Amino acid sequence: MTWLTWRQFRAQSSAVVGVVAVLVVAFAVTGPQLAHLFDASGLPSCVSGADCQSALTHFAAAVNASKVYPLLYVAGLAALYGMPAVLGIFWGAPLIARELETGTVRLAWSQSVSRVRWAATKVGLIALAAGAAAALLSLAVTWWAGPIDRAAALAGQGQGLGFPHRFMPLVFGARDVVPIGHAVFAFALGVTVGLVVRRTLPAMALTLAAVAAMQVVVPTTVRAHYATPAETSMALTLAPETPHSIFITDDTLEVSMPVTLPGDWITSIRAVDAAGQPFTGPAPQICISPTSSMADCDAAVNALHLRQLVSYQPADRYWTFQWYETAIYFVLALALAAFSVARVRRIRLS
Amino acid sequence: MTAVLDARGLGLRYKGGWALTDCTLSIPPGRVVGLVGPNGAGKTTLLNLAVGFLVPTTGTVEVLGGRPGSSLARVGFMAQDAPLYASMSTADHLKIGARLNPGWDDAYAARRVQSLGFDPAKPASKLSGGQRAQLALTLALAKRPELLVLDEPAASLDPLARREFLEQLAEAVAEREMTVVLSSHLVSDLASICDYLVVLSTARVQVAGPITELLAAHRGSTRSQSGLEELVLAYLSQGRRDETEAAK
């Protein structure tokens, strides 16, 4: 069964393997130079804030001076986010659906191998291949982007490179182990959809939609709940020379100051009043009056003694979150695979 | 001797109606059974039930003394239209057979493919209909089954390829101990190789028995010099008459 699985897999795998190989080579070739820029910028040895700030500016300038680094940075993100969908569509969905569609299951199931072994071998081995391909690409991207990620974690708001650090939602799913879980899950999802729909093309379309939906839902609504967020608060004291934003409608006032927690993932920033209750308005009269100045409005807001409450996931939880999310994807993949194998056992061919 | 295939009150309903009803049938070992009937009579349904691709709505069916699909290594099956992996060569298909069947007779398979004389490196999609059927048959034969089930093996072949295929099938069957069940909508396909007949029409078994006995009984009742063809036609029209009467 192993031989048949590889024999069938050979042709369809070559495109993905080719793209991964090209990217890995591109990262391997340019990576050492990027690491050198990081070392040469003085970032590894800087101690004081001002020193580090100037090193950071140096590094950012060096990275942005070449078009190659920003391009490869984005290519790495795109490849790791595109990979699960591609694996689900081209490896997962046709795996059993195409055999049902072309009738070759009748040949396969007429051999002396049970359907369960047939399905489990196919799903198991190719899930392994999907995980390995994702692991290889993620390893290359994570290693390559290491200097940029480290610099991004040092930078505060509006400083340095302008790239998000590795705990930020966009980057988190394209670093370290999460892409492996995601790839294996998307593959298993494709297999299951193919088995339920029984037709390759609709199964591919549905798989794409489902994988894309997961990629939006998980970072926006699920990930923040892996651990209770840490909280910190600061007085909302506005002054014309410090950056802040005020947004006023008829009876609401939204006010905030930028928060700098390098390397941490800030999940929410909200204003509370002196009693600790969420503050949404209304705005002081003077802020609405067309004749008053910005400074008058700031002073009126300061008089409310508001505080700013920040919920965040500290940077040292990065690996907990990585393992947690990977485990969730693996458990889901396992459940889908088990469901598929059980369903193959009961399938009826008319 | 226990029956190779034993069906009792076997029936299968699908959305539009019954594909097979009240089928009671016992096939003794060593026979070459011809399953004949018009298209849509339930031949494929009966064979799919026998190999476990379908699950009966009513009744039971036992194959080699067990549940269908429980003794995969002992049953060879060639599905309708001889499905093969389009991109794989003859050699690849034989390798599949060798890897997936404990009783695989590699020497036999190699000899058979060689004697058929087609290029083992050619992908299945480039083979002719006759070659595809031959390759599918080789796969089913080389696993050395006790029961060989062939669903319309010659249906898609032109008359010449058809005769050649059936001759070679008869040869292969004569070489070894096994029971064969083979379906066709053409009586002429079966006349040369079968010694047992099952006539199926309108989802029912009309008659089943050794051909010699059936012919003798038929001659006795109608006093005509009819051959197998006429015998089958008589049972098919009988089945149709019963159906119209039941409808009234």
Side-chain angles (χ1 to χ4, degrees), chain B residues 5 7 18 32 42 68 70 119 137 142-143 152 160 165 187-188 217 240:
Chain B
L5 191 152
W18 290 86
V32 179
S70 62
D119 180 4
L137 178 65
K143 79 187 268 196
E152 296 269 13
L160 197 66
F165 177 86
V187 183
S188 55
R240 194 157 301 167

Side-chain angles (χ1 to χ4, degrees), chain B residues 22 46 57 72 93 152 167 211 226:
Chain B
D22 196 25
L46 176 56
T57 315
L72 286 165
H93 279 92
E152 296 269 13
E167 275 169 13
I211 288 179
S226 64

Side-chain angles (χ1 to χ4, degrees), chain B residues 35-235:
Chain B
L35 180 60
V36 71
N39 290 328
K43 301 189 296 292
T44 297
T45 302
L46 176 56
L47 297 184
N48 277 339
L49 283 164
V51 295
F53 286 177
L54 289 173
V55 176
T57 315
T58 63
T60 58
V61 56
E62 280 197 352
V63 173
L64 300 170
R67 193 173 48 77
S70 62
S71 41
L72 286 165
R74 296 161 68 200
V75 180
F77 179 61
M78 177 177 161
Q80 207 165 358
D81 302 325
L84 295 169
Y85 290 106
S87 65
M88 292 196 205
S89 67
T90 298
D92 285 332
H93 279 92
L94 295 190
K95 208 161 174 187
I96 292 174
R99 299 272 177 153
L100 301 189
N101 297 288
W104 182 257
D105 189 340
D106 210 29
Y108 172 80
R111 205 166 55 237
R112 192 160 198 282
V113 167
Q114 201 181 16
S115 74
L116 291 166
F118 52 93
D119 180 4
K122 222 183 206 179
S125 57
K126 297 241 171 76
L127 297 177
S128 71
Q131 290 173 329
R132 290 172 57 86
Q134 287 289 6
L135 177 53
L137 178 65
T138 306
L139 280 172
L141 281 170
K143 79 187 268 196
R144 292 212 174 279
E146 291 167 45
L147 169 65
L148 178 64
V149 181
L150 310 170
D151 190 2
E152 296 269 13
S156 59
L157 307 186
D158 62 69
L160 197 66
R162 194 180 186 91
R163 199 174 68 190
E164 208 174 65
F165 177 86
L166 289 167
E167 275 169 13
Q168 274 159 347
L169 173 62
E171 257 172 59
V173 167
E175 274 173 23
R176 57 186 59 202
E177 285 277 301
M178 63 179 165
T179 309
V180 181
V181 179
L182 127 102
S183 74
S184 177
H185 61 280
L186 293 178
V187 183
S188 55
D189 283 357
L190 309 174
S192 54
I193 58 169
C194 297
D195 56 15
Y196 198 98
L197 192 70
V198 177
V199 179
L200 207 60
S201 110
T202 60
R204 284 169 192 281
V205 175
Q206 301 300 334
V207 70
I211 288 179
T212 46
E213 284 176 28
L214 293 179
L215 277 175
H218 189 63
R219 274 194 203 98
S221 64
T222 64
R223 275 172 284 128
S224 75
Q225 294 293 312
S226 64
L228 193 59
E229 186 102 39
E230 245 178 83
L231 170 86
V232 170
L233 278 174
Y235 279 111

Side-chain angles (χ1 to χ4, degrees), chain A:
Chain A
M1 205 42 234
T2 311
W3 178 82
L4 176 57
T5 305
W6 288 131
R7 177 64 187 76
Q8 288 183 275
F9 179 58
R10 218 168 57 188
Q12 65 183 154
S13 65
S14 52
V16 172
V17 172
V19 171
V20 169
V22 166
L23 284 172
V24 167
V25 168
F27 289 127
V29 168
T30 55
Q33 188 57 34
L34 182 59
H36 175 74
L37 290 183
F38 184 78
D39 293 340
S41 69
L43 274 171
S45 55
C46 76
V47 269
S48 77
D51 252 18
C52 289
Q53 192 50 55
S54 103
L56 199 57
T57 312
H58 247 89
F59 180 60
V63 167
N64 287 321
S66 153
K67 284 204 165 58
V68 173
Y69 300 118
L71 184 77
L72 277 176
Y73 182 84
V74 174
L77 283 181
L80 281 170
Y81 279 109
M83 196 177 203
V86 168
L87 295 180
I89 291 170
F90 295 104
W91 292 13
L95 189 74
I96 291 169
R98 183 158 292 151
E99 296 226 24
L100 286 167
E101 212 168 36
T102 57
T104 48
V105 271
R106 289 163 199 276
L107 178 66
W109 295 357
S110 301
Q111 310 307 310
S112 309
V113 166
S114 74
R115 291 187 197 186
V116 168
R117 213 182 108 198
W118 177 82
T121 311
K122 276 167 88 83
V123 174
L125 282 178
I126 300 188
L128 217 63
L136 183 65
L137 188 60
S138 181
L139 182 73
V141 170
T142 306
W143 167 78
W144 183 90
I148 293 178
D149 289 347
R150 256 169 282 150
L154 296 172
Q157 199 86 23
Q159 298 167 319
L161 280 166
F163 287 136
H165 62 75
R166 63 175 189 173
F167 209 165
M168 297 290 277
L170 182 68
V171 181
F172 183 84
R175 292 289 184 273
D176 296 302
V177 292
V178 163
I180 305 172
H182 205 168
V184 173
F185 161 78
F187 166 75
L189 185 69
V191 172
T192 309
V193 171
L195 195 53
V196 172
V197 178
R198 281 203 184 196
R199 279 166 50 227
T200 311
L201 228 57
M204 290 167 109
L206 280 172
T207 302
L208 174 61
V211 170
M214 279 297 275
Q215 278 175 332
V216 173
V217 168
V218 169
T220 53
T221 64
V222 181
R223 190 177 294 151
H225 302 288
Y226 298 162
T228 311
E231 285 191 337
T232 181
S233 68
M234 60 211 66
L236 259 175
T237 312
L238 309 181
E241 69 277 8
T242 59
H244 61 270
S245 84
I246 291 182
F247 184 72
I248 300 169
T249 67
D250 285 347
D251 53 357
T252 67
L253 166 67
E254 282 172 36
V255 54
S256 69
M257 288 179 353
V259 181
T260 303
L261 295 170
D264 298 338
W265 175 29
I266 296 166
T267 51
S268 85
I269 299 174
R270 50 199 190 283
V272 292
D273 61 22
Q277 295 303 307
F279 176 84
T280 55
Q285 264 309 313
I286 201 158
C287 289
I288 301 163
S289 153
T291 54
S292 62
S293 72
M294 286 283 274
D296 295 339
C297 178
D298 285 353
V301 171
N302 289 343
L304 292 168
H305 298 294
L306 299 178
R307 291 186 72 73
Q308 178 161 265
L309 199 60
V310 178
S311 298
Y312 68 101
Q313 299 290 352
D316 61 9
R317 290 184 186 171
Y318 173 80
W319 276 103
T320 311
F321 273 54
Q322 276 276 332
W323 289 118
Y324 215 102
E325 188 153 316
T326 308
I328 289 174
Y329 276 130
F330 272 135
V331 167
L332 287 174
L334 211 61
L336 287 169
F339 169 83
S340 296
V341 172
R343 198 176 165 99
V344 161
R345 229 172 65 124
R346 294 195 321 270
I347 225 164
R348 290 165 192 200
L349 302 175
S350 51

